[in-house]
């Protein structure tokens, strides 16, 4: 298989397979959850489920001051790599083209130097986050294979992307193919690991807000 | 005698719903719930991380309700729930959690962890892995009518005592009254002043009320141990008594989990909406205040703070009412750092106080409350839960702190204009 | 392009001088060649010296499944450049498009050159070789395969000129009806220099020849057998429009403001980032321009399988297939499976409720 053939495969059938597993897996997981349903609450409501639920979906992004103080590292590092991932994934021109090709519309991109710097910051942060996970007693105690797999498949596309962007070590078609391949690995693994939180946290936060809101508490 | 692992496992299967599935799917093991839990912050034991306490429920969800888990189970892979495992989790689920819900408030992905620990208890109780202390309390609640073993004659004796002291009539079994008052055993046995205070306020505000001789106990060991069937039976007694006395409203007393049981869990436990309204005593008092039916004469100069009982505030929705009421008589009110829905638990709710095995740890984690109090230097702590109150007293004594504890209702009653 | 054997004894220097090329312009060529091959200026005399003394080597040029574009590229330079003179100065003993001889005479010339220069002649190939059926392409009744194997045997080295010879090229494109392969697919025991491009840049061809004549060795090659001197950097890295890429300024269509302002053509499918060639530096037509400068994205013609690279006007980051459809179908299937799995979960939950035995106070202990 030549480099170009590999690149063409990962852009073609490879991406096709990854997309099928990714999309099918996500929908499967979401409906698997939703189908379980929950019982109607028979107690008289003191507040609205819907508005509180929707508010919590957004408000839970920002911790209250005391929680921030207590979990400063987790929150700060979490912010950095989540924003970093967002910037790198969604604001890099070639990536936007991919989304545009699928969903039909695009949006303005950031200069590639900004993306480059963001990628470096994100990679470093993810490494620090892993070190912290290995050293913090609670995180280490809670961590299982899923956590490390999730970390690995997240940092891999960042690293391969960085290398491909700078064309280090190999020729561009191979590097880009490897980068896309690493993204495809992420897509295949995504629905069946904790990475699913990207979607399920909307449900979880909504439920959390709804449970509190029903009782008249702002969560 | 007939608890079994199978029953426990089945109970856990029953507990999984879309909320549980969404929560477990979202957990990223960030560990922030540990920092929100006084059982972790004060002991530093990673296994007391809130989300870890739900592990039995998580495994059931994973193995029974996810495609991947079910396939894994077919091939015998994946983490199984066993009787030994549940036994191991008993102290985590009961002794190290007050269901205070602080973890639920801070979880960045929005998991209602406290709610899931409550659900986990359903499985634990059915599998026979509930603490002996709680089992005893639950048995007494069913057989005697009160977890502390308070029977009607004891209440009658206290009522007689109050009537004699105050010269007021305590209405017992008055049909058609507007409000039916519930009491917690602790109030009957340890703080009978509460009955006196309520009587005084209601007389002052001209509220029509009564106490049922058949269902005066507000507490519900069933929801603490995690046995919904038993909890439902206890709720049903109140529902029946309310129907019998044809009351429009039932008042939940100054007790956190009693409010949770009768106000929020009750209708769902018995599977039917009430024909009456449930109000917390503080909600009713604030209502009276708004209507201008409470006239205060004295104002307190002392520096006072308010301890939010978890089940009333964070889990119950009664947060502004106590502050409105305190504002009526306190000149010098200060909030604790982290208050209202973010207040720290006293350390004895959710059945911990009924579980003698947890006596040591509940006093250890009181350090959290001590730190909060140390930051504000107050002359008195007001609260609205007799369980919090007893434990706060215990804790202050343990840590050699001398801060008087006040009941909000009682303090209000003391400062009412004589009518 | 002559069979005049007497000229073969002349050195390259003599030939050039006899054609009226001054030493000055010869040195200029050597300097240009040195800089193109990224050699230090101190190497210029070495090159000049080597070329001066070089005996005109015998070159046999075989054309298989090709379009003659590569030969055109080389011979249709619009001015008579020194590089074309270099090309004139070799002893091109066989090239069926260019040679005067025809038929048996032509083949005889090839055989004679092979015999006379056994082990020393340079073999240049353009075009791919069909393996499915030898009849797809024959010369003088000899299949391409047989002719290549026969001619390669005595060659000192092989230069695969053009993408067809180097990688199979367009004949190799899907569905590859002739079973076309590249030279390096079948010849394993000779040094092969790939000079791909559709067509390759003329200077690159002469540059490789110069290198061979100067040093008598083959230049350093990349993993695809291409001389690193010319194929060491991607078009993207040397493109004069690169700053626009870095700033995120792109032409969205061929006639928008961005296109007029000369912004990056990435979004129009430019293969610059994955293509290695010297277009952006040496340019074409005597250094006048190259495709991107003319406003058209790079097609990546110097890369293997460039014809099957998912479309010339699709950006590299875009999937080559219709993912929108895939997404919709996968989502629908996911919902269906999710609902089915969820429904069995629901049933499981219902049966758990059914199996529920009322917990009484007597059931709290074992």
């Amino acid at each position: 298989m030549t480099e170009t053939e590999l690149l063409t495969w990962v852009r073609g059938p490879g991406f096709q397979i990854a997309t099928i597993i990714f999309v099918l897996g996500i929908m499967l997981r979401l409906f698997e959850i939703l189908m379980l349903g929950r019982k109607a609450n028979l107690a008289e409501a003191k507040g609205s489920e819907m508005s509180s639920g929707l508010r919590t979906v957004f408000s839970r992004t920002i911790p209250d001051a005391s929680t921030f103080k207590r979990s400063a590292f987790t929150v700060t590092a979490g912010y950095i790599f989540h924003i970093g991932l967002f910037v790198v994934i969604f604001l890099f021109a070639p990536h936007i083209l991919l989304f545009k090709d699928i969903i039909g519309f695009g949006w303005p991109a950031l200069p590639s130097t900004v993306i480059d710097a963001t990628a470096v910051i994100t990679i470093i942060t993810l490494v620090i986050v892993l070190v912290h996970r290995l050293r913090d007693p609670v995180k280490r105690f809670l961590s299982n294979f899923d956590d490390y797999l999730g970390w690995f498949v997240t940092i891999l596309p960042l690293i391969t992307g960085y290398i491909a962007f700078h064309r280090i070590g190999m020729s561009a078609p191979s590097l880009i193919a490897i980068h896309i391949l690493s993204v495809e690995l992420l897509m295949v693994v995504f629905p069946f690991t904790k990475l699913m939180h990207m979607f399920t946290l909307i449900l979880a936060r909504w439920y959390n807000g709804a449970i509190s809101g029903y009782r008249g508490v702002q969560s | 005698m007939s608890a079994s692992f199978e029953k426990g496992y089945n109970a856990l299967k029953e507990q999984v719903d879309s909320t549980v599935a969404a929560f477990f799917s979202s957990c990223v093991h960030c560990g922030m719930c540990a920092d929100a839990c006084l059982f972790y912050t004060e002991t530093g034991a990673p296994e007391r991380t809130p989300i870890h306490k739900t592990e039995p429920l998580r495994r059931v969800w994973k193995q029974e309700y996810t495609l991947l888990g079910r396939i894994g189970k077919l091939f015998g892979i994946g983490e199984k729930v066993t009787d030994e495992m549940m036994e191991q989790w008993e102290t985590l689920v009961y002794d190290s959690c007050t269901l205070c819900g602080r973890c639920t408030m801070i979880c960045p992905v929005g998991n209602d962890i406290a709610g899931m620990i409550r659900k986990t208890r359903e499985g634990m109780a059915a599998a026979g892995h509930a603490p002996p202390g709680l089992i005893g309390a639950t048995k007494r609640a069913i057989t005697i009518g009160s977890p502390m073993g308070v029977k009607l004659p004891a209440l009658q004796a206290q009522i007689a005592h109050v009537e004699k002291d105050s010269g007021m009539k305590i209405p017992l079994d008055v049909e058609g009254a507007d409000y039916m008052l519930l009491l917690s055993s602790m109030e009957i046995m340890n703080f009978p002043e509460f009955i006196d205070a309520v009587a005084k306020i209601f007389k002052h505000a001209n509220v029509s009320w009564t106490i049922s001789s058949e269902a005066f106990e507000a507490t519900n060991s069933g929801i603490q141990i995690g046995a919904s069937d038993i909890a439902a039976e206890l709720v049903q007694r109140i529902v029946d008594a309310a129907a019998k006395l044809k009351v429009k409203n039932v008042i939940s007393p100054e007790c956190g989990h009693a409010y949770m049981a009768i106000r929020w869990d009750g209708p769902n436990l018995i599977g039917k909406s009430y024909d009456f309204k449930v109000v917390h005593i503080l909600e009713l008092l604030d209502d009276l205040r708004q209507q201008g039916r409470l006239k205060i004469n004295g104002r307190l100069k002392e520096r006072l703070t308010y301890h939010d009982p978890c089940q009333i505030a964070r889990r119950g929705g009664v947060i502004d009412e106590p502050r409105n009421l305190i504002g009526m008589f306190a000149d010098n009110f200060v909030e604790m750092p982290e208050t209202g829905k973010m207040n720290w638990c006293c350390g004895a709710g959710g059945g911990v106080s009924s579980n003698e095995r947890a006596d040591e740890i509940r006093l250890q984690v009181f350090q959290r409350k001590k730190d909060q109090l140390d930051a504000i230097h107050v002359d008195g702590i007001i609260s609205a839960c007799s369980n919090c109150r007893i434990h706060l007293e215990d804790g202050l004594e343990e840590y050699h702190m001398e801060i008087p504890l006040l009941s909000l209702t009682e303090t209000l009653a003391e400062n009412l204009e004589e009518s | 392009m002559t069979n005049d054997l007497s000229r073969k004894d002349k050195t390259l220097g003599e030939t050039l001088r006899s054609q009226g090329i001054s030493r000055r312009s010869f040195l200029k060529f050597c300097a240009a060649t040195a800089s193109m091959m990224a050699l230090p200026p101190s190497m210029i005399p070495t090159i000049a010296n080597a070329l001066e003394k070089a005996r005109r080597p015998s070159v046999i040029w075989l054309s298989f499944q090709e379009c003659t574009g590569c030969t055109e590229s080389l011979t249709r330079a619009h001015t008579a450049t020194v590089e074309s003179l270099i090309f004139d100065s070799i002893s091109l003993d066989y090239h069926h498009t260019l040679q005067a001889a025809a038929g048996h005479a032509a083949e005889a010339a090839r055989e004679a050159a092979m015999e006379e220069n056994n082990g020393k002649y340079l073999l240049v190939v353009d075009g791919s070789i069909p393996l499915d059926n030898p009849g797809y392409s024959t010369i003088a009744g000899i299949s391409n395969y047989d002719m290549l194997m026969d001619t390669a045997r005595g060659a000192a080295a092989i230069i695969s000129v053009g993408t067809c010879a180097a990688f199979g090229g367009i004949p190799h494109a899907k569905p590859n009806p002739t079973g076309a392969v590249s030279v390096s697919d079948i010849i394993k025991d000779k040094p092969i220099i790939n000079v791909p491009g559709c067509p390759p840049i003329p200077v690159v061809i002469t540059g490789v020849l110069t290198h061979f004549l100067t040093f008598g060795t083959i230049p350093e090659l990349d993993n695809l057998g291409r001389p690193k001197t010319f194929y060491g950097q991607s078009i993207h890295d040397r493109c004069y429009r690169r700053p626009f890429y870095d700033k995120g300024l792109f032409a969205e269509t061929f006639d928008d403001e961005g296109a007029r302002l000369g912004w990056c053509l990435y979004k129009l499918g430019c293969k610059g980032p994955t293509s290695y060639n010297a277009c952006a530096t040496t340019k074409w037509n005597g250094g006048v321009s190259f495709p991107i400068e003319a406003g058209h994205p790079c097609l990546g013609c110097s890369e293997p399988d460039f014809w099957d690279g998912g479309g010339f006007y699709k950006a590299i980051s875009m999937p080559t297939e219709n993912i929108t459809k895939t997404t919709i179908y996968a989502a629908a299937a996911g919902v269906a499976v999710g609902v089915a799995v969820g429904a069995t979960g629901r049933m499981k939950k219902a049966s758990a409720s059914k199996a529920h035995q009322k917990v009484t106070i007597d059931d709290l202990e074992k």
Side-chain angles (χ1 to χ4, degrees):
Chain A
M1 187 181 248
T2 65
E3 290 177 314
T4 320
E5 271 176 326
L6 176 67
L7 180 58
T8 310
W9 188 86
V10 298
R11 286 174 64 201
F15 195 73
Q16 194 101 314
I17 294 166
T19 306
I20 290 169
I21 298 175
F22 181 69
V23 176
L24 197 146
I26 288 168
M27 298 315 275
L28 160 75
R29 289 292 313 277
L30 289 178
F31 277 83
E32 185 181 77
I33 292 167
L34 290 171
M35 277 297 286
L36 287 173
R38 62 182 184 130
K39 278 191 189 148
N41 197 335
L42 298 171
E44 192 193 351
K46 193 174 175 177
S48 155
E49 278 199 328
M50 189 50 84
S51 66
S52 174
L54 289 177
R55 195 189 48 245
T56 305
V57 168
F58 298 100
S59 67
R60 207 41 86 88
T61 309
I62 299 157
D64 66 281
S66 65
T67 303
F68 175 74
K69 237 169 92 189
R70 255 170 243 290
S71 309
F73 175 83
T74 307
V75 175
T76 313
Y79 264 113
I80 294 173
F81 83 76
H82 277 97
I83 292 171
L85 283 169
F86 177 84
V87 168
V88 169
I89 295 170
F90 294 105
L91 299 179
F92 184 44
H95 297 168
I96 297 171
L97 274 185
L98 165 72
F99 294 113
K100 193 180 172 187
D101 189 53
I102 298 168
I103 56 181
F105 59 91
W107 47 88
L110 282 178
S112 62
T113 41
V114 176
I115 303 293
D116 193 30
T118 311
V120 173
I121 293 168
T122 311
I123 290 169
I124 293 171
T125 309
L126 278 173
V127 170
I128 296 172
V129 159
L130 179 70
V131 172
H132 189 256
R133 183 168 284 283
L134 291 167
R135 297 182 56 150
D136 179 77
V138 170
K139 283 200 180 75
R140 192 180 54 226
F141 178 80
L142 293 177
S143 298
N144 53 25
F145 177 70
D146 189 11
D147 293 296
Y148 298 111
L149 177 67
W151 179 89
F152 179 71
V153 298
T154 305
I155 199 169
L156 202 60
L158 282 166
I159 294 172
T160 59
Y162 179 84
I163 294 173
F165 182 77
H166 292 280
R167 278 177 276 284
I168 303 166
M170 273 191 267
S171 67
S174 301
L175 291 174
I176 293 177
I178 290 168
H179 172 58
I180 297 175
L181 210 54
S182 69
V183 173
E184 284 162 8
L185 175 69
L186 169 71
M187 288 167 74
V188 167
V189 167
F190 186 100
F192 310 104
T193 58
K194 69 168 183 176
L195 299 174
M196 238 340 249
H197 79 274
M198 179 176 166
F199 294 100
T200 57
L201 80 69
I202 298 169
L203 294 179
R205 285 180 179 182
W206 190 87
Y207 282 135
N208 185 304
I211 291 167
S212 286
Y214 196 85
R215 298 175 189 160
V217 184
Q218 289 217 337
S219 72
Chain B
M1 279 135 280
S2 62
S4 71
F5 170 71
E6 287 69 30
K7 278 188 183 177
Y9 195 83
N10 192 67
L12 289 174
K13 269 164 79 174
E14 285 179 81
Q15 289 302 317
V16 176
D17 63 5
S18 61
T19 66
V20 171
F23 295 152
F24 283 131
S25 300
S26 301
C27 180
V28 292
H29 290 162
C30 72
M32 278 173 69
C33 51
D35 295 327
C37 175
L38 70 170
F39 285 90
Y40 170 76
T41 62
E42 303 315 306
T43 66
E47 65 271 19
R48 295 207 176 94
T49 303
I51 194 68
H52 181 63
K53 297 168 191 167
T54 65
E55 186 63 12
L57 185 64
R58 190 192 71 84
R59 290 187 184 181
V60 169
W61 160 74
K62 180 102 187 161
Q63 290 223 313
E64 302 289 344
Y65 295 103
T66 69
L67 184 62
L68 223 59
R70 286 160 76 169
I71 294 169
K73 197 184 168 192
L74 280 181
F75 294 100
I77 38 180
E79 296 157 309
K80 275 203 277 291
V81 178
T82 61
D83 202 39
E84 295 70 41
M85 183 227 171
M86 288 178 96
E87 192 179 344
Q88 216 183 320
W89 251 258
E90 184 183 320
T91 52
L92 296 178
V93 174
Y94 288 102
D95 304 23
S96 310
C97 176
T98 56
L99 303 176
C100 83
R102 213 171 172 280
C103 47
T104 297
M105 272 295 157
I106 64 89
C107 175
V109 296
N111 290 352
D112 179 10
I113 304 170
M116 291 198 286
I117 298 176
R118 165 69 184 83
K119 280 170 175 285
T120 306
R121 286 190 182 181
E122 288 286 330
M124 301 292 283
H129 293 302
L134 258 178
I135 291 176
T138 308
K139 282 185 174 171
R140 285 190 296 279
I142 290 291
T143 52
I144 303 172
S146 146
M148 290 171 75
V150 180
K151 290 185 185 172
L152 182 62
L155 173 66
Q156 284 167 327
Q158 293 287 32
I159 287 177
H161 201 74
V162 170
E163 284 181 336
K164 192 174 153 227
D165 282 358
S166 66
M168 287 183 295
K169 177 96 185 98
I170 306 297
L172 201 65
D173 294 327
V174 178
E175 230 185 86
D178 286 344
Y179 292 93
M180 181 176 102
L181 178 71
L182 301 177
L183 295 164
S184 78
S185 318
M186 280 185 200
E187 279 153 352
I188 300 167
M189 299 314 293
N190 303 31
F191 309 113
E193 314 85 86
F194 179 75
I195 304 170
D196 183 43
V198 171
K200 192 176 163 193
I201 296 168
F202 285 176
K203 190 180 166 208
H204 172 94
N206 200 18
V207 173
S208 137
W209 68 293
T210 187
I211 294 174
S212 164
S213 61
E214 285 170 22
F216 53 85
E217 177 62 62
T219 64
N220 191 321
S221 302
I223 71 158
Q224 292 183 326
I225 198 166
S228 286
D229 294 333
I230 295 170
E233 189 179 335
L234 296 172
V235 170
Q236 192 60 49
R237 288 179 186 173
I238 297 167
V239 173
D240 292 343
K244 194 170 169 191
L245 293 178
K246 302 185 180 65
V247 293
K248 299 182 200 74
N249 303 283
V250 170
I251 304 168
S252 170
E254 283 197 353
C255 169
H257 91 269
Y259 179 61
M260 175 56 63
I262 191 69
R263 173 69 174 92
W264 299 116
D265 284 353
N268 299 311
L269 288 167
I270 62 169
K272 149 175 189 299
S273 300
Y274 295 151
D275 298 325
F276 51 87
K277 273 178 85 102
V278 176
V279 291
H280 189 265
I281 181 76
L282 297 185
E283 286 179 298
L284 174 57
L285 294 179
D286 192 45
D287 209 30
L288 295 174
R289 176 194 66 83
Q290 266 183 316
Q291 293 171 28
R293 288 161 75 180
L294 298 179
K295 303 271 183 305
I296 296 291
N297 69 9
R299 287 189 72 84
L300 300 176
K301 302 276 175 267
E302 291 94 335
R303 192 172 160 85
L304 299 172
T305 190
Y306 177 69
H307 166 78
D308 285 282
C310 310
Q311 304 301 319
I312 293 174
R314 182 161 44 237
R315 303 294 280 175
V318 182
I319 297 174
D320 297 335
E321 292 86 344
R323 287 167 175 80
N324 295 340
L325 293 167
I326 293 168
M328 292 181 78
F329 57 78
D331 277 341
N332 203 351
F333 174 71
V334 284
E335 291 280 11
M336 278 184 263
E338 301 174 78
T339 180
K341 65 176 188 181
M342 293 309 290
N343 185 38
W344 288 92
C345 179
C346 63
V352 169
S353 60
S354 312
N355 176 5
E356 298 86 359
R357 199 173 58 196
D359 280 352
E360 195 182 329
I361 193 167
R362 77 178 157 88
L363 286 168
Q364 188 188 348
V365 301
F366 185 79
Q367 179 69 42
R368 192 76 282 223
K369 187 53 59 184
K370 178 183 185 301
D371 291 347
Q372 265 188 304
L373 291 170
D374 285 348
I376 51 169
H377 306 287
V378 286
D379 307 318
I381 307 163
I382 305 173
S383 191
C385 168
S386 45
N387 188 57
C388 292
R389 192 167 157 188
I390 288 185
H391 180 60
L392 285 167
E393 280 174 353
D394 262 14
L396 292 172
E397 193 185 315
E398 175 81 12
Y399 287 84
H400 311 293
M401 296 162 77
E402 274 172 37
I403 308 173
L405 272 157
L406 310 165
S407 142
L408 178 46
T409 311
E410 289 163 32
T411 315
L412 183 76
E414 280 163 25
N415 291 284
L416 279 184
E417 223 171 59
E418 294 298 327
S419 48
Chain C
M1 51 173 108
T2 171
N3 290 328
D4 179 2
L5 289 173
S6 67
R7 277 187 59 186
K8 270 187 199 153
D9 302 327
K10 286 188 189 170
T11 63
L12 213 122
E14 285 161 359
T15 314
L16 286 172
R17 267 187 295 282
S18 74
Q19 293 195 350
I21 302 292
S22 69
R23 177 142 181 94
R24 183 184 167 81
S25 55
F26 174 66
L27 281 174
K28 237 169 110 186
F29 164 75
C30 293
T33 307
S35 91
M36 207 167 61
M37 296 194 296
L39 297 170
S42 60
M43 286 299 286
I44 299 170
T46 317
I47 296 173
N49 221 2
L51 286 182
E52 279 271 310
K53 290 185 190 141
R55 296 269 157 205
R56 301 171 64 239
S58 169
V59 174
I60 296 175
W61 185 306
L62 300 177
S63 297
F64 299 137
Q65 295 193 124
E66 45 84 51
C67 66
T68 320
C70 300
T71 304
E72 290 285 320
S73 166
L74 200 54
T75 56
R76 296 272 171 154
H78 67 298
T79 53
T81 57
V82 184
E83 47 266 43
S84 67
L85 289 175
I86 284 286
F87 189 62
D88 281 345
S89 307
I90 55 173
S91 171
L92 188 53
D93 293 320
Y94 179 85
H95 187 307
H96 66 213
T97 308
L98 299 177
Q99 69 193 143
H104 293 298
E107 292 310 308
R110 178 172 64 87
E111 282 157 20
M114 282 166 61
E115 199 174 321
E116 202 173 315
N117 303 292
N118 190 24
K120 289 184 283 186
Y121 60 88
L122 211 51
L123 173 60
V124 177
V125 180
D126 73 329
S128 62
I129 303 97
L131 290 187
D132 268 10
N133 185 332
Y136 282 139
S137 176
T138 62
I139 298 161
I142 306 166
S143 75
N144 289 170
Y145 179 80
D146 289 342
M147 188 179 279
L148 176 63
M149 295 312 274
D150 189 35
T151 316
R153 204 168 298 125
I158 301 172
I159 303 178
S160 294
V161 167
T163 305
C164 296
F167 307 127
I170 292 168
H172 178 76
K174 283 189 186 107
N176 191 3
T178 63
V181 296
S182 69
V183 173
S184 57
D185 282 336
I186 33 187
I187 308 279
K188 302 289 179 193
D189 57 350
K190 292 281 171 187
I192 298 171
I193 306 164
N194 283 335
V195 185
C198 192
I201 307 171
V203 235
V204 174
I205 304 176
T206 51
V208 170
L209 283 171
T210 306
H211 187 282
F212 188 76
L213 295 176
T214 308
F215 302 108
T217 57
I218 59 165
E220 198 190 343
L221 306 176
D222 70 4
N223 63 329
L224 291 173
R226 303 175 293 197
K228 278 190 176 170
T229 329
F230 304 106
Y231 297 88
Q233 276 175 305
S234 71
I235 304 284
H236 187 59
D237 283 342
R238 300 304 301 264
C239 182
Y240 76 106
R241 296 196 188 203
R242 176 62 186 264
F244 296 112
Y245 172 88
D246 287 330
K247 281 189 206 127
L249 299 173
F250 298 95
E252 305 276 342
T253 64
F254 282 104
D255 57 355
D256 69 356
E257 194 60 20
R260 274 188 284 278
L261 291 170
W263 289 354
C264 176
L265 300 169
Y266 184 91
K267 290 190 177 180
L268 291 169
C270 185
K271 301 294 178 292
T274 51
S275 303
Y276 291 81
N277 207 339
C279 302
T281 43
T282 63
K283 303 196 184 173
W284 288 75
N285 300 328
V288 171
S289 180
F290 74 112
I292 292 172
E293 201 169 346
H296 192 280
C298 168
L299 302 183
C301 70
S302 59
E303 296 296 316
D305 304 305
F306 79 101
W307 202 267
D308 295 319
F312 291 154
Y313 302 101
K314 223 165 192 194
I316 299 155
S317 64
M318 281 155 81
T320 57
E321 290 175 48
N322 187 339
I323 297 297
T324 313
K325 249 196 206 155
T326 309
T327 307
I328 293 167
Y329 289 147
V335 172
V337 181
V339 167
V341 175
T344 62
R346 234 188 145 94
M347 274 154 60
K348 191 179 263 191
K349 205 165 132 62
S351 67
S353 297
K354 230 175 173 178
H356 178 91
Q357 288 170 284
K358 196 173 177 211
V359 177
T360 70
I361 49 169
D362 297 324
D363 302 318
L364 295 172
E365 285 156 309
K366 282 204 183 179

